[in-house]
Amino acid sequence: MSRPARLFLDRAPSPIGELLIVTDETETLRALDFHDHEHRLHRLLKTHYGPLRPNVGAAPARIRDAVAAYFAGEFHALNSIAWATNGTTFQHAVWTALTQIPAGATITYSELARRAGRPLAIRAAGHANGSNPLSIVAPCHRVIGMDGALTGYGGGVERKRWLLAHEKAL
């Protein structure tokens, strides 16, 4: 992925906590996380973009509107958000696979590894899932344990439970 020239950080309300939305100068989504995980967001931005730090700036209305529509029950709205983020080829395969899990469905980590093209790389898929900078847009909350357990979620297991219930997956 190319390195953007500038990053912008906006904040938006949601029923489960304020969202942090990072976009670039082309109005492409680069990251999305929850306010109480801002330290993780900045760590991921440093990993992916080096010294480039976001300035305060409004996210494009189409991104804000799509996120609001998702929380209003229009789950497909997130599919309209163009995103790009730095990461390894395998991370991109995992994050892309996440975007293909329909709302209301869940998959296991082993299935995620298979969909990312490396069926034996279950732990690596889990790690890539855990370092997903596109919370909700690349819906890592839809990945569950083999036994159906709501295993870890960067935004917290209670948010994962809420998101899955919102999508009627629980």
Side-chain angles (χ1 to χ4, degrees):
M1 272 298 134
S2 63
R3 187 174 296 248
R6 297 184 334 194
L7 294 174
F8 302 97
L9 173 64
D10 195 6
R11 296 170 186 273
S14 90
I16 52 175
E18 184 180 56
L19 297 172
L20 306 172
I21 303 170
V22 178
T23 55
D24 66 18
E25 71 278 0
T26 68
E27 299 189 344
T28 300
L29 180 68
R30 290 289 178 154
L32 188 144
D33 209 338
F34 294 98
H35 70 97
D36 50 341
H37 296 286
E38 190 163 354
H39 64 282
R40 179 182 60 216
L41 174 77
H42 287 288
R43 186 177 68 243
L44 287 171
L45 291 174
K46 184 177 182 180
T47 297
H48 295 298
Y49 305 111
L52 185 61
R53 294 291 169 263
N55 294 313
V56 173
R62 63 182 164 66
I63 292 176
R64 291 179 66 94
D65 291 348
V67 171
Y70 166 82
F71 284 109
E74 297 175 37
F75 307 125
H76 66 279
L78 297 180
N79 299 338
S80 68
I81 297 176
W83 59 269
T85 190
N86 289 3
T88 68
T89 301
F90 182 65
Q91 286 174 323
H92 276 269
V94 167
W95 300 334
T96 299
L98 290 171
T99 66
Q100 296 165 356
I101 306 167
T106 58
I107 65 169
T108 63
Y109 289 94
S110 58
E111 176 62 16
L112 179 61
R114 188 191 69 71
R115 291 182 183 195
R118 291 184 46 202
L120 300 178
I122 299 166
R123 285 189 180 174
H127 188 278
N129 187 57
S131 60
N132 169 21
L134 302 163
S135 179
I136 303 172
V137 174
C140 48
H141 62 274
R142 296 179 188 156
V143 181
I144 60 173
M146 194 67 122
D147 62 356
L150 300 185
T151 56
Y153 175 62
V157 174
E158 287 308 310
R159 277 194 182 115
K160 182 174 190 162
R161 186 180 329 280
W162 189 96
L163 289 165
L164 292 174
H166 176 59
E167 296 175 358
K168 315 251 183 309
L170 289 179

